[in-house]
Amino acid sequence: MLKQLLNVATNRMHTLPILVLMPHSRCNCRCVMCDIWKANHNKQEISVIELQKHVGQFKQLGVKEVVFSGGEALMHTNLWRLTKLLRDENMELTLLSTGLLIETHAEQIVRDFRDVILSIDGSQPVHDRIRNVPRGFEKITSGIKALKTLQPSFRTTARCVLQKQNFTDLVNIVRATEAIGIDQVSFLAADVSSTAFNHGNNLGQTANEVILNLDECLAFEEIVENSFTLLKNAYESRFIAESPGKMRKLVQYYKAINGLDAFPHVACNAPWVSAVLESDGRVMPCFFHEPYGNIYEQGFLETINSPKAILFRKDLVVSKNAVCQRCVCSLNRRLRIG
């Protein structure tokens, strides 16, 4: 679309293909690499009335995809009214979930969401230990079964953060996700450089628990290289979303943290094709950068095209920005004409 090219040319958002919506602040897991759950007492959430104020502006910007993230979006008190607001404007919805409540809400999920991306951190014992949730993997398995029973073609994918406590489980993770009916699994490294995921003052402690040390980096490299043979079919069929080259970049990332290599090259255009709307009203270019402003102070459209937002996009050079250089979850959406 020409409007997408105008975004890049003018640094003013004429269209916004993707909106990541974090409808509330709570989570039902206690993961070692994420601190969102530590703020559960805040109980912040975007109300139906508040979201309704901005839906017209989402439509004006041509939002096509809304990704419900969190925390755990399924814990929102009026989630299905939020989804209806967006579906009534023909927006396609994706759910990022811990999977613990999928079985309970399977019918509504199949009705309202295009697909579900589940956070899975290992085969059963490893996943449950990292998530600090008894029978967590079992609940995910039951949820997938419920979704597939209702709609066999409903797409479920898994996203796994490889870090100190699960990198040796790589092969088991692939086999376990295949066994429970997941359609695809993807891998990323742990964010230990930003204040995203409520890290804040806990960042140092979180980093110590998840960063691979030098010996672990070398062991991880061997595991990844061996996986190309052991999981040959999973790579070739794209059950594993990443190519061997991208898997090697995960090794490179941890080597860079240990001073052994440069951080992998990041290609990302997230600030020009998407935005993140937090449960407290903050609007951000992505999970990792500072907010442009807040919808409780001005409209969404005003916020995303505020002087601060335009200047940020104008000055951002992804290849040189310190936050971008260490990014573990970039977005590089192809710009289209027509």
PDB file of all heavy atoms in Angstrom, residues 19-26 34 36 44-47 51 66-73 76 79 82 96 196-198 275-282 284 286-287:
ATOM      1  N   LEU A  19      -1.769  -3.840  15.366  1.00  0.00           N
ATOM      2  CA  LEU A  19      -1.836  -3.280  16.712  1.00  0.00           C
ATOM      3  C   LEU A  19      -1.676  -4.415  17.708  1.00  0.00           C
ATOM      4  O   LEU A  19      -2.381  -5.415  17.645  1.00  0.00           O
ATOM      5  CB  LEU A  19      -3.179  -2.581  16.948  1.00  0.00           C
ATOM      6  CG  LEU A  19      -3.427  -2.074  18.371  1.00  0.00           C
ATOM      7  CD1 LEU A  19      -2.463  -0.947  18.731  1.00  0.00           C
ATOM      8  CD2 LEU A  19      -4.876  -1.625  18.539  1.00  0.00           C
ATOM      9  N   VAL A  20      -0.717  -4.263  18.621  1.00  0.00           N
ATOM     10  CA  VAL A  20      -0.556  -5.218  19.719  1.00  0.00           C
ATOM     11  C   VAL A  20      -1.256  -4.624  20.932  1.00  0.00           C
ATOM     12  O   VAL A  20      -0.891  -3.539  21.402  1.00  0.00           O
ATOM     13  CB  VAL A  20       0.926  -5.483  20.030  1.00  0.00           C
ATOM     14  CG1 VAL A  20       1.050  -6.469  21.199  1.00  0.00           C
ATOM     15  CG2 VAL A  20       1.644  -6.023  18.803  1.00  0.00           C
ATOM     16  N   LEU A  21      -2.263  -5.312  21.418  1.00  0.00           N
ATOM     17  CA  LEU A  21      -3.079  -4.818  22.519  1.00  0.00           C
ATOM     18  C   LEU A  21      -2.833  -5.660  23.762  1.00  0.00           C
ATOM     19  O   LEU A  21      -2.997  -6.878  23.749  1.00  0.00           O
ATOM     20  CB  LEU A  21      -4.563  -4.886  22.128  1.00  0.00           C
ATOM     21  CG  LEU A  21      -5.591  -4.531  23.204  1.00  0.00           C
ATOM     22  CD1 LEU A  21      -5.419  -3.082  23.665  1.00  0.00           C
ATOM     23  CD2 LEU A  21      -7.007  -4.758  22.678  1.00  0.00           C
ATOM     24  N   MET A  22      -2.431  -5.007  24.833  1.00  0.00           N
ATOM     25  CA  MET A  22      -2.240  -5.676  26.118  1.00  0.00           C
ATOM     26  C   MET A  22      -3.400  -5.246  27.012  1.00  0.00           C
ATOM     27  O   MET A  22      -3.326  -4.217  27.674  1.00  0.00           O
ATOM     28  CB  MET A  22      -0.884  -5.314  26.690  1.00  0.00           C
ATOM     29  CG  MET A  22       0.250  -5.615  25.719  1.00  0.00           C
ATOM     30  SD  MET A  22       1.887  -5.115  26.246  1.00  0.00           S
ATOM     31  CE  MET A  22       2.294  -6.416  27.387  1.00  0.00           C
ATOM     32  N   PRO A  23      -4.502  -5.999  27.002  1.00  0.00           N
ATOM     33  CA  PRO A  23      -5.740  -5.509  27.606  1.00  0.00           C
ATOM     34  C   PRO A  23      -5.711  -5.386  29.116  1.00  0.00           C
ATOM     35  O   PRO A  23      -6.481  -4.621  29.688  1.00  0.00           O
ATOM     36  CB  PRO A  23      -6.783  -6.533  27.159  1.00  0.00           C
ATOM     37  CG  PRO A  23      -6.008  -7.765  26.880  1.00  0.00           C
ATOM     38  CD  PRO A  23      -4.687  -7.311  26.369  1.00  0.00           C
ATOM     39  N   HIS A  24      -4.836  -6.133  29.762  1.00  0.00           N
ATOM     40  CA  HIS A  24      -4.694  -5.949  31.206  1.00  0.00           C
ATOM     41  C   HIS A  24      -3.329  -6.425  31.667  1.00  0.00           C
ATOM     42  O   HIS A  24      -2.553  -6.988  30.903  1.00  0.00           O
ATOM     43  CB  HIS A  24      -5.825  -6.632  31.974  1.00  0.00           C
ATOM     44  CG  HIS A  24      -5.636  -8.114  32.133  1.00  0.00           C
ATOM     45  ND1 HIS A  24      -6.024  -8.802  33.243  1.00  0.00           N
ATOM     46  CD2 HIS A  24      -5.091  -9.037  31.310  1.00  0.00           C
ATOM     47  CE1 HIS A  24      -5.733 -10.084  33.103  1.00  0.00           C
ATOM     48  NE2 HIS A  24      -5.177 -10.240  31.934  1.00  0.00           N
ATOM     49  N   SER A  25      -3.003  -6.162  32.925  1.00  0.00           N
ATOM     50  CA  SER A  25      -1.626  -6.290  33.395  1.00  0.00           C
ATOM     51  C   SER A  25      -1.310  -7.611  34.078  1.00  0.00           C
ATOM     52  O   SER A  25      -0.154  -7.868  34.409  1.00  0.00           O
ATOM     53  CB  SER A  25      -1.320  -5.150  34.378  1.00  0.00           C
ATOM     54  OG  SER A  25      -2.165  -5.226  35.525  1.00  0.00           O
ATOM     55  N   ARG A  26      -2.300  -8.458  34.307  1.00  0.00           N
ATOM     56  CA  ARG A  26      -2.049  -9.651  35.114  1.00  0.00           C
ATOM     57  C   ARG A  26      -1.632 -10.866  34.278  1.00  0.00           C
ATOM     58  O   ARG A  26      -1.879 -10.925  33.087  1.00  0.00           O
ATOM     59  CB  ARG A  26      -3.306 -10.012  35.913  1.00  0.00           C
ATOM     60  CG  ARG A  26      -3.643  -9.012  37.012  1.00  0.00           C
ATOM     61  CD  ARG A  26      -4.946  -9.390  37.680  1.00  0.00           C
ATOM     62  NE  ARG A  26      -6.069  -9.270  36.749  1.00  0.00           N
ATOM     63  CZ  ARG A  26      -7.219  -9.925  36.900  1.00  0.00           C
ATOM     64  NH1 ARG A  26      -7.379 -10.761  37.902  1.00  0.00           N
ATOM     65  NH2 ARG A  26      -8.194  -9.742  36.029  1.00  0.00           N
ATOM     66  N   CYS A  34      10.382 -13.535  33.005  1.00  0.00           N
ATOM     67  CA  CYS A  34       9.406 -12.454  32.826  1.00  0.00           C
ATOM     68  C   CYS A  34       8.890 -12.032  34.192  1.00  0.00           C
ATOM     69  O   CYS A  34       8.638 -12.878  35.063  1.00  0.00           O
ATOM     70  CB  CYS A  34       8.254 -12.946  31.943  1.00  0.00           C
ATOM     71  SG  CYS A  34       6.906 -11.768  31.764  1.00  0.00           S
ATOM     72  N   ILE A  36       6.133  -9.850  34.628  1.00  0.00           N
ATOM     73  CA  ILE A  36       4.787  -9.281  34.559  1.00  0.00           C
ATOM     74  C   ILE A  36       3.967  -9.688  35.783  1.00  0.00           C
ATOM     75  O   ILE A  36       3.250  -8.882  36.370  1.00  0.00           O
ATOM     76  CB  ILE A  36       4.090  -9.713  33.254  1.00  0.00           C
ATOM     77  CG1 ILE A  36       4.726  -8.997  32.056  1.00  0.00           C
ATOM     78  CG2 ILE A  36       2.598  -9.405  33.294  1.00  0.00           C
ATOM     79  CD1 ILE A  36       4.187  -9.435  30.699  1.00  0.00           C
ATOM     80  N   GLN A  44      -4.431  -3.515  36.405  1.00  0.00           N
ATOM     81  CA  GLN A  44      -4.815  -2.507  35.420  1.00  0.00           C
ATOM     82  C   GLN A  44      -5.407  -3.187  34.198  1.00  0.00           C
ATOM     83  O   GLN A  44      -4.888  -4.209  33.743  1.00  0.00           O
ATOM     84  CB  GLN A  44      -3.589  -1.685  35.002  1.00  0.00           C
ATOM     85  CG  GLN A  44      -3.016  -0.832  36.124  1.00  0.00           C
ATOM     86  CD  GLN A  44      -1.728  -0.159  35.700  1.00  0.00           C
ATOM     87  OE1 GLN A  44      -0.899  -0.746  35.027  1.00  0.00           O
ATOM     88  NE2 GLN A  44      -1.563   1.094  36.088  1.00  0.00           N
ATOM     89  N   GLU A  45      -6.492  -2.643  33.658  1.00  0.00           N
ATOM     90  CA  GLU A  45      -7.024  -3.173  32.418  1.00  0.00           C
ATOM     91  C   GLU A  45      -7.759  -2.083  31.647  1.00  0.00           C
ATOM     92  O   GLU A  45      -8.261  -1.116  32.231  1.00  0.00           O
ATOM     93  CB  GLU A  45      -7.918  -4.381  32.656  1.00  0.00           C
ATOM     94  CG  GLU A  45      -9.221  -4.142  33.348  1.00  0.00           C
ATOM     95  CD  GLU A  45     -10.059  -5.422  33.417  1.00  0.00           C
ATOM     96  OE1 GLU A  45      -9.491  -6.531  33.530  1.00  0.00           O
ATOM     97  OE2 GLU A  45     -11.293  -5.309  33.349  1.00  0.00           O
ATOM     98  N   ILE A  46      -7.770  -2.233  30.331  1.00  0.00           N
ATOM     99  CA  ILE A  46      -8.467  -1.293  29.461  1.00  0.00           C
ATOM    100  C   ILE A  46      -9.942  -1.667  29.435  1.00  0.00           C
ATOM    101  O   ILE A  46     -10.297  -2.800  29.114  1.00  0.00           O
ATOM    102  CB  ILE A  46      -7.882  -1.329  28.040  1.00  0.00           C
ATOM    103  CG1 ILE A  46      -6.424  -0.861  28.061  1.00  0.00           C
ATOM    104  CG2 ILE A  46      -8.703  -0.468  27.087  1.00  0.00           C
ATOM    105  CD1 ILE A  46      -5.721  -0.967  26.729  1.00  0.00           C
ATOM    106  N   SER A  47     -10.786  -0.733  29.771  1.00  0.00           N
ATOM    107  CA  SER A  47     -12.218  -1.013  29.814  1.00  0.00           C
ATOM    108  C   SER A  47     -12.810  -1.007  28.409  1.00  0.00           C
ATOM    109  O   SER A  47     -12.228  -0.467  27.461  1.00  0.00           O
ATOM    110  CB  SER A  47     -12.935   0.033  30.667  1.00  0.00           C
ATOM    111  OG  SER A  47     -12.915   1.294  30.022  1.00  0.00           O
ATOM    112  N   LEU A  51     -11.734   1.504  25.290  1.00  0.00           N
ATOM    113  CA  LEU A  51     -11.313   1.016  23.974  1.00  0.00           C
ATOM    114  C   LEU A  51     -12.245   1.522  22.887  1.00  0.00           C
ATOM    115  O   LEU A  51     -11.807   1.874  21.780  1.00  0.00           O
ATOM    116  CB  LEU A  51     -11.276  -0.515  23.967  1.00  0.00           C
ATOM    117  CG  LEU A  51     -10.677  -1.136  22.701  1.00  0.00           C
ATOM    118  CD1 LEU A  51      -9.193  -0.829  22.603  1.00  0.00           C
ATOM    119  CD2 LEU A  51     -10.891  -2.654  22.679  1.00  0.00           C
ATOM    120  N   VAL A  66      -5.056  -7.369  15.070  1.00  0.00           N
ATOM    121  CA  VAL A  66      -4.876  -7.004  16.467  1.00  0.00           C
ATOM    122  C   VAL A  66      -4.386  -8.240  17.212  1.00  0.00           C
ATOM    123  O   VAL A  66      -5.036  -9.287  17.188  1.00  0.00           O
ATOM    124  CB  VAL A  66      -6.164  -6.472  17.113  1.00  0.00           C
ATOM    125  CG1 VAL A  66      -5.917  -6.100  18.575  1.00  0.00           C
ATOM    126  CG2 VAL A  66      -6.687  -5.264  16.345  1.00  0.00           C
ATOM    127  N   VAL A  67      -3.233  -8.107  17.844  1.00  0.00           N
ATOM    128  CA  VAL A  67      -2.642  -9.204  18.606  1.00  0.00           C
ATOM    129  C   VAL A  67      -2.899  -8.948  20.086  1.00  0.00           C
ATOM    130  O   VAL A  67      -2.418  -7.955  20.638  1.00  0.00           O
ATOM    131  CB  VAL A  67      -1.129  -9.322  18.338  1.00  0.00           C
ATOM    132  CG1 VAL A  67      -0.541 -10.467  19.154  1.00  0.00           C
ATOM    133  CG2 VAL A  67      -0.861  -9.523  16.849  1.00  0.00           C
ATOM    134  N   PHE A  68      -3.668  -9.826  20.713  1.00  0.00           N
ATOM    135  CA  PHE A  68      -3.934  -9.706  22.150  1.00  0.00           C
ATOM    136  C   PHE A  68      -2.779 -10.347  22.910  1.00  0.00           C
ATOM    137  O   PHE A  68      -2.555 -11.547  22.817  1.00  0.00           O
ATOM    138  CB  PHE A  68      -5.247 -10.397  22.512  1.00  0.00           C
ATOM    139  CG  PHE A  68      -6.470  -9.577  22.220  1.00  0.00           C
ATOM    140  CD1 PHE A  68      -6.876  -9.338  20.907  1.00  0.00           C
ATOM    141  CD2 PHE A  68      -7.224  -9.030  23.250  1.00  0.00           C
ATOM    142  CE1 PHE A  68      -8.009  -8.587  20.628  1.00  0.00           C
ATOM    143  CE2 PHE A  68      -8.356  -8.275  22.991  1.00  0.00           C
ATOM    144  CZ  PHE A  68      -8.752  -8.041  21.673  1.00  0.00           C
ATOM    145  N   SER A  69      -2.070  -9.530  23.662  1.00  0.00           N
ATOM    146  CA  SER A  69      -0.902 -10.009  24.392  1.00  0.00           C
ATOM    147  C   SER A  69      -1.107  -9.762  25.877  1.00  0.00           C
ATOM    148  O   SER A  69      -2.194  -9.453  26.337  1.00  0.00           O
ATOM    149  CB  SER A  69       0.352  -9.308  23.850  1.00  0.00           C
ATOM    150  OG  SER A  69       1.523  -9.811  24.449  1.00  0.00           O
ATOM    151  N   GLY A  70      -0.056  -9.882  26.659  1.00  0.00           N
ATOM    152  CA  GLY A  70      -0.195  -9.687  28.103  1.00  0.00           C
ATOM    153  C   GLY A  70       1.138  -9.854  28.783  1.00  0.00           C
ATOM    154  O   GLY A  70       2.172  -9.658  28.156  1.00  0.00           O
ATOM    155  N   GLY A  71       1.084 -10.343  30.006  1.00  0.00           N
ATOM    156  CA  GLY A  71       0.028 -10.981  30.749  1.00  0.00           C
ATOM    157  C   GLY A  71      -0.736 -12.068  29.997  1.00  0.00           C
ATOM    158  O   GLY A  71      -0.299 -12.604  29.009  1.00  0.00           O
ATOM    159  N   GLU A  72      -1.879 -12.359  30.591  1.00  0.00           N
ATOM    160  CA  GLU A  72      -2.785 -13.328  30.001  1.00  0.00           C
ATOM    161  C   GLU A  72      -4.100 -12.641  29.684  1.00  0.00           C
ATOM    162  O   GLU A  72      -4.880 -12.311  30.580  1.00  0.00           O
ATOM    163  CB  GLU A  72      -3.006 -14.501  30.960  1.00  0.00           C
ATOM    164  CG  GLU A  72      -4.047 -15.488  30.504  1.00  0.00           C
ATOM    165  CD  GLU A  72      -3.803 -16.002  29.090  1.00  0.00           C
ATOM    166  OE1 GLU A  72      -2.817 -16.733  28.876  1.00  0.00           O
ATOM    167  OE2 GLU A  72      -4.610 -15.658  28.201  1.00  0.00           O
ATOM    168  N   ALA A  73      -4.339 -12.421  28.380  1.00  0.00           N
ATOM    169  CA  ALA A  73      -5.527 -11.685  27.945  1.00  0.00           C
ATOM    170  C   ALA A  73      -6.818 -12.362  28.388  1.00  0.00           C
ATOM    171  O   ALA A  73      -7.833 -11.697  28.625  1.00  0.00           O
ATOM    172  CB  ALA A  73      -5.514 -11.528  26.429  1.00  0.00           C
ATOM    173  N   HIS A  76      -8.944 -11.016  31.333  1.00  0.00           N
ATOM    174  CA  HIS A  76      -9.661  -9.736  31.298  1.00  0.00           C
ATOM    175  C   HIS A  76     -11.129  -9.955  31.653  1.00  0.00           C
ATOM    176  O   HIS A  76     -11.755 -10.929  31.215  1.00  0.00           O
ATOM    177  CB  HIS A  76      -9.542  -9.110  29.910  1.00  0.00           C
ATOM    178  CG  HIS A  76     -10.004  -7.695  29.835  1.00  0.00           C
ATOM    179  ND1 HIS A  76     -11.322  -7.339  29.789  1.00  0.00           N
ATOM    180  CD2 HIS A  76      -9.295  -6.528  29.806  1.00  0.00           C
ATOM    181  CE1 HIS A  76     -11.431  -6.022  29.729  1.00  0.00           C
ATOM    182  NE2 HIS A  76     -10.210  -5.507  29.740  1.00  0.00           N
ATOM    183  N   LEU A  79     -13.314  -9.550  28.197  1.00  0.00           N
ATOM    184  CA  LEU A  79     -12.541  -9.801  26.978  1.00  0.00           C
ATOM    185  C   LEU A  79     -13.424  -9.940  25.746  1.00  0.00           C
ATOM    186  O   LEU A  79     -13.118  -9.393  24.684  1.00  0.00           O
ATOM    187  CB  LEU A  79     -11.694 -11.066  27.145  1.00  0.00           C
ATOM    188  CG  LEU A  79     -10.851 -11.436  25.917  1.00  0.00           C
ATOM    189  CD1 LEU A  79      -9.794 -10.383  25.652  1.00  0.00           C
ATOM    190  CD2 LEU A  79     -10.205 -12.807  26.094  1.00  0.00           C
ATOM    191  N   LEU A  82     -14.509  -6.797  24.248  1.00  0.00           N
ATOM    192  CA  LEU A  82     -13.403  -6.142  23.527  1.00  0.00           C
ATOM    193  C   LEU A  82     -13.238  -6.759  22.139  1.00  0.00           C
ATOM    194  O   LEU A  82     -13.087  -6.042  21.139  1.00  0.00           O
ATOM    195  CB  LEU A  82     -12.092  -6.291  24.306  1.00  0.00           C
ATOM    196  CG  LEU A  82     -11.959  -5.629  25.663  1.00  0.00           C
ATOM    197  CD1 LEU A  82     -10.527  -5.786  26.171  1.00  0.00           C
ATOM    198  CD2 LEU A  82     -12.331  -4.157  25.616  1.00  0.00           C
ATOM    199  N   LEU A  96      -2.124 -14.253  22.063  1.00  0.00           N
ATOM    200  CA  LEU A  96      -0.921 -14.780  22.706  1.00  0.00           C
ATOM    201  C   LEU A  96      -1.318 -15.218  24.100  1.00  0.00           C
ATOM    202  O   LEU A  96      -1.879 -14.426  24.865  1.00  0.00           O
ATOM    203  CB  LEU A  96       0.175 -13.709  22.796  1.00  0.00           C
ATOM    204  CG  LEU A  96       1.143 -13.601  21.615  1.00  0.00           C
ATOM    205  CD1 LEU A  96       0.420 -13.268  20.334  1.00  0.00           C
ATOM    206  CD2 LEU A  96       2.230 -12.569  21.905  1.00  0.00           C
ATOM    207  N   ALA A 196      11.240  -4.041  29.307  1.00  0.00           N
ATOM    208  CA  ALA A 196      10.006  -4.699  28.884  1.00  0.00           C
ATOM    209  C   ALA A 196       9.670  -5.854  29.821  1.00  0.00           C
ATOM    210  O   ALA A 196      10.517  -6.335  30.573  1.00  0.00           O
ATOM    211  CB  ALA A 196      10.158  -5.213  27.454  1.00  0.00           C
ATOM    212  N   PHE A 197       8.410  -6.299  29.748  1.00  0.00           N
ATOM    213  CA  PHE A 197       7.938  -7.427  30.557  1.00  0.00           C
ATOM    214  C   PHE A 197       8.087  -7.157  32.054  1.00  0.00           C
ATOM    215  O   PHE A 197       8.345  -8.055  32.842  1.00  0.00           O
ATOM    216  CB  PHE A 197       8.657  -8.727  30.160  1.00  0.00           C
ATOM    217  CG  PHE A 197       8.730  -8.927  28.677  1.00  0.00           C
ATOM    218  CD1 PHE A 197       9.941  -8.887  27.998  1.00  0.00           C
ATOM    219  CD2 PHE A 197       7.570  -9.119  27.947  1.00  0.00           C
ATOM    220  CE1 PHE A 197       9.995  -9.047  26.619  1.00  0.00           C
ATOM    221  CE2 PHE A 197       7.621  -9.285  26.562  1.00  0.00           C
ATOM    222  CZ  PHE A 197       8.837  -9.239  25.899  1.00  0.00           C
ATOM    223  N   ASN A 198       7.949  -5.851  32.397  1.00  0.00           N
ATOM    224  CA  ASN A 198       7.982  -5.400  33.789  1.00  0.00           C
ATOM    225  C   ASN A 198       9.308  -5.707  34.483  1.00  0.00           C
ATOM    226  O   ASN A 198       9.368  -5.857  35.705  1.00  0.00           O
ATOM    227  CB  ASN A 198       6.828  -6.027  34.604  1.00  0.00           C
ATOM    228  CG  ASN A 198       6.579  -5.301  35.907  1.00  0.00           C
ATOM    229  OD1 ASN A 198       6.582  -4.079  35.961  1.00  0.00           O
ATOM    230  ND2 ASN A 198       6.351  -6.043  36.979  1.00  0.00           N
ATOM    231  N   ALA A 275       2.131  -0.823  16.453  1.00  0.00           N
ATOM    232  CA  ALA A 275       2.245  -0.123  17.724  1.00  0.00           C
ATOM    233  C   ALA A 275       1.768  -1.057  18.818  1.00  0.00           C
ATOM    234  O   ALA A 275       1.017  -2.006  18.570  1.00  0.00           O
ATOM    235  CB  ALA A 275       1.430   1.162  17.720  1.00  0.00           C
ATOM    236  N   VAL A 276       2.199  -0.780  20.039  1.00  0.00           N
ATOM    237  CA  VAL A 276       1.785  -1.540  21.219  1.00  0.00           C
ATOM    238  C   VAL A 276       0.966  -0.623  22.110  1.00  0.00           C
ATOM    239  O   VAL A 276       1.389   0.487  22.436  1.00  0.00           O
ATOM    240  CB  VAL A 276       3.008  -2.071  21.995  1.00  0.00           C
ATOM    241  CG1 VAL A 276       2.562  -2.744  23.303  1.00  0.00           C
ATOM    242  CG2 VAL A 276       3.818  -3.044  21.141  1.00  0.00           C
ATOM    243  N   LEU A 277      -0.217  -1.096  22.495  1.00  0.00           N
ATOM    244  CA  LEU A 277      -1.066  -0.358  23.427  1.00  0.00           C
ATOM    245  C   LEU A 277      -1.108  -1.123  24.737  1.00  0.00           C
ATOM    246  O   LEU A 277      -1.638  -2.226  24.826  1.00  0.00           O
ATOM    247  CB  LEU A 277      -2.481  -0.197  22.861  1.00  0.00           C
ATOM    248  CG  LEU A 277      -3.529   0.467  23.776  1.00  0.00           C
ATOM    249  CD1 LEU A 277      -3.058   1.823  24.279  1.00  0.00           C
ATOM    250  CD2 LEU A 277      -4.860   0.594  23.049  1.00  0.00           C
ATOM    251  N   GLU A 278      -0.514  -0.541  25.782  1.00  0.00           N
ATOM    252  CA  GLU A 278      -0.420  -1.174  27.098  1.00  0.00           C
ATOM    253  C   GLU A 278      -1.709  -1.027  27.891  1.00  0.00           C
ATOM    254  O   GLU A 278      -2.544  -0.163  27.609  1.00  0.00           O
ATOM    255  CB  GLU A 278       0.734  -0.546  27.884  1.00  0.00           C
ATOM    256  CG  GLU A 278       2.094  -1.127  27.552  1.00  0.00           C
ATOM    257  CD  GLU A 278       2.427  -2.318  28.452  1.00  0.00           C
ATOM    258  OE1 GLU A 278       1.499  -2.861  29.087  1.00  0.00           O
ATOM    259  OE2 GLU A 278       3.611  -2.684  28.510  1.00  0.00           O
ATOM    260  N   SER A 279      -1.841  -1.852  28.933  1.00  0.00           N
ATOM    261  CA  SER A 279      -3.041  -1.849  29.759  1.00  0.00           C
ATOM    262  C   SER A 279      -3.237  -0.543  30.518  1.00  0.00           C
ATOM    263  O   SER A 279      -4.359  -0.204  30.898  1.00  0.00           O
ATOM    264  CB  SER A 279      -2.991  -3.013  30.754  1.00  0.00           C
ATOM    265  OG  SER A 279      -1.840  -2.908  31.585  1.00  0.00           O
ATOM    266  N   ASP A 280      -2.158   0.203  30.744  1.00  0.00           N
ATOM    267  CA  ASP A 280      -2.268   1.489  31.438  1.00  0.00           C
ATOM    268  C   ASP A 280      -2.433   2.664  30.477  1.00  0.00           C
ATOM    269  O   ASP A 280      -2.373   3.817  30.885  1.00  0.00           O
ATOM    270  CB  ASP A 280      -1.059   1.718  32.343  1.00  0.00           C
ATOM    271  CG  ASP A 280       0.263   1.749  31.577  1.00  0.00           C
ATOM    272  OD1 ASP A 280       0.242   1.628  30.328  1.00  0.00           O
ATOM    273  OD2 ASP A 280       1.315   1.878  32.218  1.00  0.00           O
ATOM    274  N   GLY A 281      -2.623   2.358  29.180  1.00  0.00           N
ATOM    275  CA  GLY A 281      -2.878   3.393  28.188  1.00  0.00           C
ATOM    276  C   GLY A 281      -1.659   3.868  27.420  1.00  0.00           C
ATOM    277  O   GLY A 281      -1.789   4.649  26.473  1.00  0.00           O
ATOM    278  N   ARG A 282      -0.480   3.426  27.804  1.00  0.00           N
ATOM    279  CA  ARG A 282       0.724   3.848  27.081  1.00  0.00           C
ATOM    280  C   ARG A 282       0.743   3.285  25.663  1.00  0.00           C
ATOM    281  O   ARG A 282       0.358   2.136  25.443  1.00  0.00           O
ATOM    282  CB  ARG A 282       1.983   3.404  27.822  1.00  0.00           C
ATOM    283  CG  ARG A 282       2.257   4.143  29.116  1.00  0.00           C
ATOM    284  CD  ARG A 282       3.483   3.585  29.800  1.00  0.00           C
ATOM    285  NE  ARG A 282       3.281   2.188  30.174  1.00  0.00           N
ATOM    286  CZ  ARG A 282       4.269   1.332  30.433  1.00  0.00           C
ATOM    287  NH1 ARG A 282       5.530   1.718  30.311  1.00  0.00           N
ATOM    288  NH2 ARG A 282       3.993   0.088  30.779  1.00  0.00           N
ATOM    289  N   MET A 284       3.325   2.541  22.523  1.00  0.00           N
ATOM    290  CA  MET A 284       4.754   2.378  22.292  1.00  0.00           C
ATOM    291  C   MET A 284       5.023   1.906  20.868  1.00  0.00           C
ATOM    292  O   MET A 284       4.160   1.268  20.255  1.00  0.00           O
ATOM    293  CB  MET A 284       5.329   1.370  23.285  1.00  0.00           C
ATOM    294  CG  MET A 284       5.078   1.738  24.746  1.00  0.00           C
ATOM    295  SD  MET A 284       5.791   0.559  25.923  1.00  0.00           S
ATOM    296  CE  MET A 284       4.845  -0.915  25.559  1.00  0.00           C
ATOM    297  N   CYS A 286       7.108  -0.417  20.087  1.00  0.00           N
ATOM    298  CA  CYS A 286       7.266  -1.867  20.202  1.00  0.00           C
ATOM    299  C   CYS A 286       7.351  -2.175  21.689  1.00  0.00           C
ATOM    300  O   CYS A 286       7.214  -1.282  22.526  1.00  0.00           O
ATOM    301  CB  CYS A 286       8.504  -2.363  19.444  1.00  0.00           C
ATOM    302  SG  CYS A 286      10.058  -1.807  20.187  1.00  0.00           S
ATOM    303  N   PHE A 287       7.612  -3.426  22.041  1.00  0.00           N
ATOM    304  CA  PHE A 287       7.683  -3.787  23.456  1.00  0.00           C
ATOM    305  C   PHE A 287       8.853  -3.129  24.179  1.00  0.00           C
ATOM    306  O   PHE A 287       8.823  -2.971  25.396  1.00  0.00           O
ATOM    307  CB  PHE A 287       7.846  -5.312  23.602  1.00  0.00           C
ATOM    308  CG  PHE A 287       6.609  -6.095  23.284  1.00  0.00           C
ATOM    309  CD1 PHE A 287       6.563  -6.907  22.159  1.00  0.00           C
ATOM    310  CD2 PHE A 287       5.494  -6.041  24.095  1.00  0.00           C
ATOM    311  CE1 PHE A 287       5.428  -7.653  21.864  1.00  0.00           C
ATOM    312  CE2 PHE A 287       4.352  -6.774  23.805  1.00  0.00           C
ATOM    313  CZ  PHE A 287       4.320  -7.582  22.689  1.00  0.00           C
TER     314      PHE A 287
END
